[in-house]
Amino acid sequence: MQRLAFVSFLRGLNLKKIESSKEPPWFRYLHHKKQQMADGYSFDDPKVIKFLEDAHKLMVEEALVKGSSKGAKIVDFVQPHLLENKLDLTITEQPEADDKILDACKKIIKYSIKTSNNRFYNQLYGGVDHYGLAGSFLTDVLNSNLHTYEVSPVFVTVENFMCQKLCKIIGYENGDGIFGPGGSFMNILGIHLARFRACPNIKEEGLYGQKKMILYTSDAAHYSLQKGASFLGFGTSSIEKVKTDDMGCMIPEELDKKIEESKSKGHLPLFVMATSGTTVFGAYDPLDKIADVCQRHGVWSHTDACWGGGALLTKKYREPRMTGVERMDSVSWNLHKMSGALLQCSSLLVKDKDILIKCNGTCAEYLFQPDKIYDVSYDVGDKTIQCGRKVDTLKLWLMWKARGDSGISERVERAFDNASYLTERLRTTEGFRLVRDKFQCTNICFWYIPPSLRGQSESPEWWQKLSKVGPAVKAKMVTEGTMMIGYTPLSAKGLVNFFRIIVGNPLTTHEEMDFVLEEIHRLGKDL
Amino acid sequence: MEQTNGNVSNGAHGETNAFLRQLFEMMLTEGIEKGLSRDSKVVEFKHPKDLEKIMNLKIDGEGASDQDLLDVCSDVIKYSVKAGHPHFFNQLFGGIDQYSLGGSWLTDCMNTSQYTYEVAPVFTLMEKVVLTKMLELIGFNDGDAIFTPGGSMANMYAINVARFQRYPEVKQVGMAGVPKLCLLTSDKGHYSFKKGASFLGIGMDNVIPVKTNDGGKMIPVELETKILELKEQGLEPYFVNATAGTTVLGVFDPLDEIADICKKYGLWMHVDAAWGGSVLLSQKHKHMMKGIERADSMTWNPHKMMGPPLQCAAFLTRHKDLLKDCHCANARYLFQQDKFYDVSYDTGDKAIQCGRKVDALKLWMMWKAKGDSGFERDVDKLIELSRYLTNQMRNREGFRVVAEPECTNVCFWYIPPSLRGQEETSEWWQKVAKVAPVIKQRMTEQGTMLIGYQPDGDRVNFFRMIVSNMSAEIEDMTFVVNEIERLGKDL
């Protein structure tokens, strides 16, 4: 191969000869280099294009067409230390030929989870929309960085467009938004904005000598608040967890109590994070009432709609779940969950148009020069904490343009409809027990009670036995690769391991929901 | 209305694949073959308000037809900057490679989160392999690392982890429970330390700049002086950032000497090698990072010099368990302890993020395909091209090199004939300052090339040309010089 020949050429260079020349050493052999250099790089080279074509064909066929087809094995599970041997991951000194790379791709596909398949019910994301996929491919080909209009004119335009659209859907008349690398990050950014509004000088001075600031959220909320509190310098001791009701919704009166308590201690109530669609139960906190409490006390209100925000896209499910959302100061919303964009696709939408830039702007002069030839307010990079930033909005926009508002809405409505059907089946089928009578979102939680445990007294020992069913069924499920459903305990409500199925993939049907029950029964009946 | 519905396979395989196939063709021909050819423009510039009108972004109630979508995609390509173009020299990234592109596409097809082995078995192992390789190159042989969404985040991880190591209680009690901490970085350090200090509750004022010399490198004696000054003022310096490859001039701070000082005063040493870290891939040039193995942590952005598409950045540390201890929250719904595989393979709790995009595959694929020797050759080539260009400019009238490059930043002023041979008063410099913006405007409007400019310290606007495109050749260096002259000689 030419590349190898070049490397040995370099090594064989007689440097003494070169030093005696007047020209700098590197200059002389750069000329030689030019003849042998370009192999395998230039897109004029048909081999390069062929590799891309072969790779593209392979991944669409194997990962998507086959992977998402009904009844396909969605996981080929191998224990970690054994998988290390099956995959030849080592990188060596020498290059690897294209056909070996394509073989590696095949193995990668084989041993990865086929999340495009609707029987992947394990996480809050799933499914692959081909328009979104196309948008993501195009993003990579154009490989740009979202900090300035200068290098990303189209992408800045698209991001601005999408932020405005999302603000409009929420009901912010004059809001702003930004995309970022995940919901946790967007929640944490929300806290940072609240802190800036309360005490702008913290930007320069830090938290030293400040009153203790308190962050409130429900006991069912996502753990990003915890991670954020430490990261931002508040410490986890500044979190107050508010009681939730039986369904997992924050109780506004309890929030009010907590805030009063903080005030009486001389602390500063800073930030309330409501959740629209909790991670386990899918509960929606009552935003209107929470907004009332926040308004009364002058506290920043944020809702973590990373998961449940999809309800905003439908007429049918928006109210009462998201009633009052337009009153919140900020909303985090992961479009890569219910709405079907590819990871990552997270947004933070803010009611106050100016706060992002005021809080985060530092005007680095090598990047945000004020004397550019275009309106520099389009350099959106200074609105966030990141410098370089991946373009995540093209894939979202292309998918949405392709599906139209009605298509995006239908996707969410289908998910709710399937979840509702599943709930009824679980309620009325022997051996299955819903953890709660109804769920507000499309995460449905249930126990499977194998025949051996049925009709017994539900003592603590019995519950202990039941807690082992989830992991055992899961292990079998994954080993056979027919389906993937997660399980979790919920100690805040005193609940042992139960299944949590997430219904969201548009390929799901009522028949597929029937299959879930049949399959769990098949896997678990002998336990 | 022609549309392909559902996911990729929905009984209508043929139709769905047709859209993907057509777009793929378009990406290859318009985006790559034509878009990256030297004969085509680097950018077709439009002002923001004009672009908003041209781009048919509107979303209707009903979905758009496949043809309409393809038309818009064509516009997306047309009006985007071609960062892979051989004459794109504007930023610290550039170029495009078929292996990392394939790897990035495959990442999307597998669409999953990196947080557990359960949902990302292959990618968990792959991330480990790549990061271990990077740790070995640095000399953090028993360390730990993680991919982050960018260099700024990696720098923030360093600030956080260092703070936690010094005062583990800060995780619970926050800044109220610790003395007034401050961090030091050179006056040429990246602004992410300021943003990071503000974000982490330390405050931008507590990021203390250390003087650099004329070449832009941190002066170790100044560092020591500052540390003592801060202590006398009752502050607690705890963290020093050394920059390996500064953003504008591309120089490397003296790591060994800085390490000596950090050791002496018990400070955490972080090296922001987001840009310059890739020199570690070259036997010939890695000496620029001499002393790196003595640092506590490092930031390294492969999406800069190594070439995979954004995002691909890493935080690496010599301290094995610190990331996990500092960041863990042990969420039971995700990191169940009773899983049927060894749960130490679940990396999610090491991060601040929960869901995390898979960034390892595109880098792994590129590295596997090229081998270490491939990357070495490429890094050597980029550095040598930058030296060639500098030499050209030194021998060409009207060009003045700002400083000797270490990384691949070539910084220079262009002095048009009308300003040559004059006395270099401050008024003269003000005139020179106006040259770069005009040339930039012309080059953007004509789309022939993109090179950034900025002022820096006392220096007025100068060009900062970055060689980071793996497919750049000598002819492109010559092109730079000729083109600047063509655009600016009448000023």
Side-chain angles (χ1 to χ4, degrees):
Chain A
M1 280 184 75
Q2 275 197 309
R3 278 184 274 177
L4 296 177
F6 167 67
V7 172
S8 21
F9 164 78
L10 258 190
R11 295 220 177 98
L13 266 180
N14 185 341
L15 290 175
K16 271 204 194 131
K17 239 199 246 166
I18 285 173
E19 272 163 33
S20 66
S21 134
K22 282 201 189 106
E23 280 162 322
W26 38 261
F27 178 63
R28 291 196 70 214
Y29 68 74
L30 261 180
H31 276 304
H32 286 286
K33 266 194 192 184
K34 198 185 175 189
Q35 274 109 51
Q36 298 174 55
M37 187 50 93
D39 181 36
Y41 280 102
S42 168
F43 287 91
D44 290 337
D45 183 346
K47 280 205 318 259
V48 171
I49 297 291
K50 179 159 191 328
F51 171 81
L52 280 177
E53 285 170 341
D54 289 343
H56 183 256
K57 191 156 180 275
L58 169 72
M59 62 184 79
V60 171
E61 190 55 40
E62 297 294 322
L64 299 176
V65 174
K66 286 189 189 160
S68 70
S69 66
K70 187 168 153 169
K73 199 171 189 209
I74 68 167
V75 54
D76 200 327
F77 184 81
V78 179
Q79 290 286 348
H81 61 288
L82 296 173
L83 188 58
E84 278 168 355
N85 298 332
K86 281 190 193 285
L87 298 168
D88 175 22
L89 293 179
T90 47
I91 292 165
T92 60
E93 173 76 10
Q94 296 312 318
E96 192 72 89
D98 282 2
D99 61 338
K100 290 281 187 313
I101 298 295
L102 291 170
D103 281 342
C105 289
K106 283 198 189 114
K107 283 215 185 113
I108 289 166
I109 295 171
K110 181 173 155 71
Y111 294 109
S112 290
I113 315 298
K114 313 298 180 288
T115 61
S116 57
N117 193 301
N118 68 278
R119 289 182 186 172
F120 176 77
Y121 299 112
N122 217 62
Q123 311 291 156
L124 300 176
Y125 61 86
V128 174
D129 179 289
H130 68 280
Y131 293 111
L133 190 67
S136 195
F137 284 4
L138 186 52
T139 302
D140 286 334
V141 166
L142 294 170
N143 189 30
S144 196
N145 192 327
L146 209 37
H147 46 34
T148 57
Y149 183 85
E150 187 170 335
V151 291
S152 285
V154 173
F155 301 128
V156 166
T157 307
V158 172
E159 185 173 90
N160 283 346
F161 179 87
M162 287 313 302
C163 286
Q164 286 310 309
K165 187 168 175 68
L166 296 177
C167 279
K168 194 158 177 251
I169 291 173
I170 289 169
Y172 288 158
E173 282 175 14
N174 204 13
D176 196 6
I178 193 108
F179 277 75
S184 297
F185 195 87
M186 300 287 91
N187 285 339
I188 298 173
L189 191 54
I191 306 172
H192 185 54
L193 295 178
R195 176 171 60 183
F196 177 78
R197 185 176 80 176
C199 308
N201 50 307
I202 290 183
K203 184 176 179 179
E204 282 85 19
E205 295 170 13
L207 283 169
Y208 309 107
Q210 288 286 343
K211 241 187 192 182
K212 189 173 171 89
M213 297 179 186
I214 309 292
L215 318 172
Y216 306 86
T217 194
S218 84
D219 58 28
H222 190 259
Y223 67 90
S224 50
L225 193 80
Q226 203 176 321
K227 291 208 175 189
S230 295
F231 203 67
L232 294 175
F234 295 107
T236 51
S237 64
S238 60
I239 298 176
E240 284 294 340
K241 292 225 171 122
V242 179
K243 278 204 207 115
T244 53
D245 62 19
D246 201 48
M247 274 310 302
C249 302
M250 189 192 285
I251 301 169
E253 295 76 20
E254 292 288 329
L255 172 64
D256 195 47
K257 240 196 253 173
K258 283 271 179 200
I259 294 180
E260 290 290 1
E261 255 170 51
S262 305
K263 281 177 158 177
S264 70
K265 288 181 193 164
H267 298 157
L268 179 67
L270 182 72
F271 179 88
V272 170
M273 180 166 101
T275 312
S276 297
T278 55
T279 320
V280 179
F281 277 2
Y284 285 80
D285 288 346
L287 300 178
D288 243 335
K289 295 216 175 99
I290 290 172
D292 286 338
V293 174
C294 291
Q295 209 165 334
R296 189 159 58 246
H297 293 285
V299 185
W300 182 288
S301 58
H302 170 86
T303 188
D304 174 3
C306 286
W307 168 228
L312 285 166
L313 300 168
T314 70
K315 287 202 179 71
K316 199 167 171 190
Y317 299 101
R318 185 185 173 124
E319 317 289 345
R321 289 166 183 80
M322 303 297 293
T323 305
V325 67
E326 71 286 351
R327 299 179 60 197
M328 310 304 280
D329 288 305
S330 53
V331 179
S332 59
W333 187 354
N334 281 5
L335 286 315
H336 64 240
K337 290 189 160 102
M338 212 186 279
S339 317
L342 295 175
L343 272 96
Q344 64 204 22
C345 197
S346 305
S347 64
L348 178 71
L349 293 327
V350 188
K351 202 195 278 194
D352 177 344
K353 191 171 66 66
D354 299 315
I355 197 164
L356 274 167
I357 187 79
K358 279 193 192 148
C359 176
N360 295 325
T362 51
C363 301
E365 61 182 10
Y366 80 95
L367 193 59
F368 302 111
Q369 301 87 330
D371 55 357
K372 289 189 189 181
I373 64 174
Y374 57 84
D375 174 0
V376 295
S377 73
Y378 282 83
D379 283 349
V380 296
D382 224 7
K383 285 203 280 185
T384 186
I385 288 296
Q386 298 176 266
C387 174
R389 186 159 63 100
K390 186 179 179 338
V391 175
D392 291 323
T393 34
L394 182 66
K395 64 196 178 199
L396 174 65
W397 173 82
L398 192 63
M399 178 183 75
W400 209 318
K401 176 98 177 164
R403 302 292 178 191
D405 288 329
S406 63
I408 296 289
S409 177
E410 256 165 54
R411 184 198 172 100
V412 178
E413 291 190 353
R414 256 187 101 93
F416 273 92
D417 174 69
N418 280 320
S420 180
Y421 174 80
L422 178 68
T423 307
E424 282 319 298
R425 289 285 340 263
L426 289 166
R427 196 198 309 285
T428 56
T429 307
E430 202 198 346
F432 290 92
R433 185 189 300 187
L434 289 166
V435 177
R436 288 292 182 268
D437 189 58
K438 257 178 106 94
F439 291 96
Q440 292 176 291
C441 201
T442 65
N443 2 358
I444 309 300
C445 302
F446 62 94
W447 287 285
Y448 173 68
I449 305 166
S452 67
L453 290 177
R454 290 179 204 169
Q456 295 177 18
S457 164
E458 293 178 17
S459 59
E461 292 76 38
W462 183 85
W463 281 105
Q464 274 317 298
K465 286 187 193 163
L466 191 62
S467 77
K468 294 192 168 47
V469 172
V473 170
K474 178 71 181 272
K476 275 186 161 189
M477 193 192 285
V478 170
T479 310
E480 295 190 29
T482 47
M483 195 162 74
M484 268 184 86
I485 298 182
Y487 67 83
T488 178
L490 192 58
S491 42
K493 299 289 188 221
L495 302 169
V496 306
N497 283 334
F498 52 86
F499 286 106
R500 177 194 72 158
I501 180 172
I502 312 296
V503 182
N505 192 317
L507 295 176
T508 309
T509 57
H510 286 187
E511 209 178 47
E512 283 295 305
M513 299 286 84
D514 292 334
F515 175 82
V516 170
L517 280 86
E518 285 155 22
E519 185 65 3
I520 292 195
H521 182 63
R522 184 186 74 80
L523 293 166
K525 64 186 195 281
D526 299 324
L527 290 174
Chain B
M1 182 204 65
E2 269 291 344
Q3 187 178 85
T4 54
N5 51 13
N7 279 11
V8 179
S9 97
N10 197 17
H13 292 186
E15 293 165 25
T16 309
N17 280 346
F19 174 79
L20 273 179
R21 229 192 335 267
Q22 284 178 280
L23 182 65
F24 181 71
E25 272 313 306
M26 187 195 291
M27 286 195 295
L28 284 191
T29 40
E30 303 291 323
I32 295 180
E33 283 168 349
K34 282 189 200 158
L36 307 187
S37 125
R38 287 178 174 85
D39 303 323
S40 64
K41 286 182 168 188
V42 179
V43 60
E44 177 91 43
F45 181 79
K46 294 282 171 215
H47 281 275
K49 292 256 178 283
D50 295 330
L51 191 59
E52 278 169 355
K53 295 198 186 98
I54 292 171
M55 300 284 314
N56 178 14
L57 293 182
K58 195 162 76 75
I59 291 170
D60 298 316
E62 289 310 306
S65 70
D66 279 3
Q67 192 50 57
D68 279 345
L69 295 172
L70 289 168
D71 288 341
V72 188
C73 286
S74 183
D75 278 346
V76 169
I77 296 172
K78 182 171 178 191
Y79 296 108
S80 285
V81 171
K82 311 295 183 294
H85 195 288
H87 298 159
F88 175 79
F89 305 110
N90 215 59
Q91 311 292 150
L92 300 177
F93 68 94
I96 190 169
D97 155 271
Q98 70 273 30
Y99 301 110
S100 56
L101 194 58
S104 195
W105 290 348
L106 183 53
T107 303
D108 286 332
C109 291
M110 305 324 298
N111 191 34
T112 195
S113 171
Q114 182 77 58
Y115 43 35
T116 60
Y117 182 84
E118 185 171 340
V119 294
V122 174
F123 304 132
T124 299
L125 299 180
M126 209 176 251
E127 189 177 67
K128 193 160 151 220
V129 165
V130 176
L131 291 174
T132 303
K133 209 167 164 61
M134 291 165 78
L135 285 165
E136 275 163 12
L137 283 167
I138 295 167
F140 290 166
N141 289 318
D142 194 32
D144 198 3
I146 195 164
F147 280 102
T148 59
S152 298
M153 276 312 289
N155 287 339
M156 289 186 215
Y157 268 45
I159 299 173
N160 194 37
V161 162
R163 176 174 64 179
F164 174 78
Q165 192 209 43
R166 199 175 182 94
Y167 293 107
E169 63 272 30
V170 77
K171 191 172 176 181
Q172 284 84 41
V173 306
M175 298 302 288
V178 305
K180 198 165 181 186
L181 298 173
C182 52
L183 35 105
L184 298 112
T185 184
S186 86
D187 55 26
K188 301 292 181 220
H190 191 259
Y191 72 94
S192 53
F193 289 97
K194 283 211 165 135
K195 286 208 180 189
S198 163
F199 202 54
L200 271 65
I202 294 174
M204 281 170 39
D205 288 351
N206 295 311
V207 178
I208 314 297
V210 178
K211 278 210 200 100
T212 50
N213 61 18
D214 266 344
K217 291 176 187 257
M218 191 192 283
I219 303 168
V221 163
E222 291 287 336
L223 173 62
E224 185 156 14
T225 311
K226 263 293 176 221
I227 291 171
L228 293 166
E229 238 174 67
L230 293 167
K231 280 168 170 256
E232 235 167 87
Q233 290 166 22
L235 297 167
E236 186 165 326
Y238 85 105
F239 178 101
V240 173
N241 171 57
T243 312
T246 52
T247 320
V248 178
L249 295 181
V251 296
F252 291 73
D253 285 342
L255 302 181
D256 253 326
E257 289 161 72
I258 292 171
D260 288 337
I261 295 172
C262 289
K263 189 163 176 202
K264 184 172 176 186
Y265 293 98
L267 307 188
W268 180 284
M269 177 181 172
H270 175 71
V271 179
D272 177 3
W275 173 222
S278 300
V279 304
L280 288 171
L281 299 161
S282 158
Q283 290 304 312
K284 190 167 176 210
H285 297 289
K286 67 184 186 183
H287 66 88
M288 293 197 259
M289 296 278 290
K290 183 166 171 302
I292 182 61
E293 71 286 353
R294 300 177 59 195
D296 290 293
S297 59
M298 176 169 138
T299 294
W300 185 348
N301 285 10
H303 68 230
K304 288 188 158 88
M305 210 188 285
M306 288 166 81
L310 269 81
Q311 66 209 12
C312 195
F315 169 75
L316 310 113
T317 176
R318 67 157 65 250
H319 302 276
K320 197 161 164 56
D321 291 314
L322 208 49
L323 263 174
K324 181 126 205 243
D325 291 340
C326 180
H327 293 152
C328 71
N330 302 312
R332 297 287 302 282
Y333 79 93
L334 192 56
F335 305 111
Q336 302 89 330
Q337 296 303 297
D338 53 0
K339 289 190 192 181
F340 63 104
Y341 60 86
D342 175 1
V343 294
S344 72
Y345 280 86
D346 286 349
T347 59
D349 228 2
K350 283 200 263 186
I352 287 295
Q353 298 175 268
C354 174
R356 185 158 67 92
K357 186 170 181 8
V358 174
D359 291 325
L361 174 54
K362 61 200 175 197
L363 180 59
W364 177 86
M365 192 158 313
M366 194 181 180
W367 211 327
K368 181 84 174 171
K370 289 163 80 132
D372 294 328
S373 59
F375 266 129
E376 177 171 29
R377 179 200 56 215
D378 291 333
V379 170
D380 285 345
K381 175 189 176 183
L382 292 177
I383 292 177
E384 279 137 24
L385 283 173
S386 69
R387 306 305 187 252
Y388 175 81
L389 178 62
T390 309
N391 199 52
Q392 279 228 309
M393 286 186 176
R394 285 227 156 88
N395 295 322
R396 184 83 162 244
E397 207 196 343
F399 286 85
R400 184 179 305 189
V401 170
V402 173
E404 197 59 43
E406 289 193 339
C407 213
T408 66
N409 321 28
V410 181
C411 296
F412 63 95
W413 285 284
Y414 176 68
I415 300 167
S418 67
L419 292 177
R420 290 175 203 170
Q422 296 177 18
E423 202 194 328
E424 292 177 16
T425 59
S426 53
E427 287 80 32
W428 183 82
W429 278 109
Q430 281 314 304
K431 289 185 190 167
V432 171
K434 294 191 168 50
V435 171
V438 175
I439 294 182
K440 180 69 183 272
Q441 177 170 0
R442 291 176 179 183
M443 80 170 66
T444 305
E445 284 167 354
Q446 295 175 38
T448 49
M449 188 165 77
L450 276 184
I451 296 183
Y453 70 83
Q454 70 287 300
D456 186 47
D458 292 335
R459 296 176 171 123
V460 306
N461 282 335
F462 55 89
F463 285 105
R464 177 195 73 162
M465 189 277 190
I466 305 290
V467 191
S468 73
N469 188 330
M470 296 294 184
S471 56
E473 300 293 345
I474 288 180
E475 62 181 282
D476 302 311
M477 303 298 105
T478 313
F479 176 84
V480 168
V481 178
N482 292 338
E483 184 65 6
I484 295 260
E485 199 162 70
R486 185 187 74 81
L487 292 166
K489 63 181 191 273
D490 64 325
L491 288 176

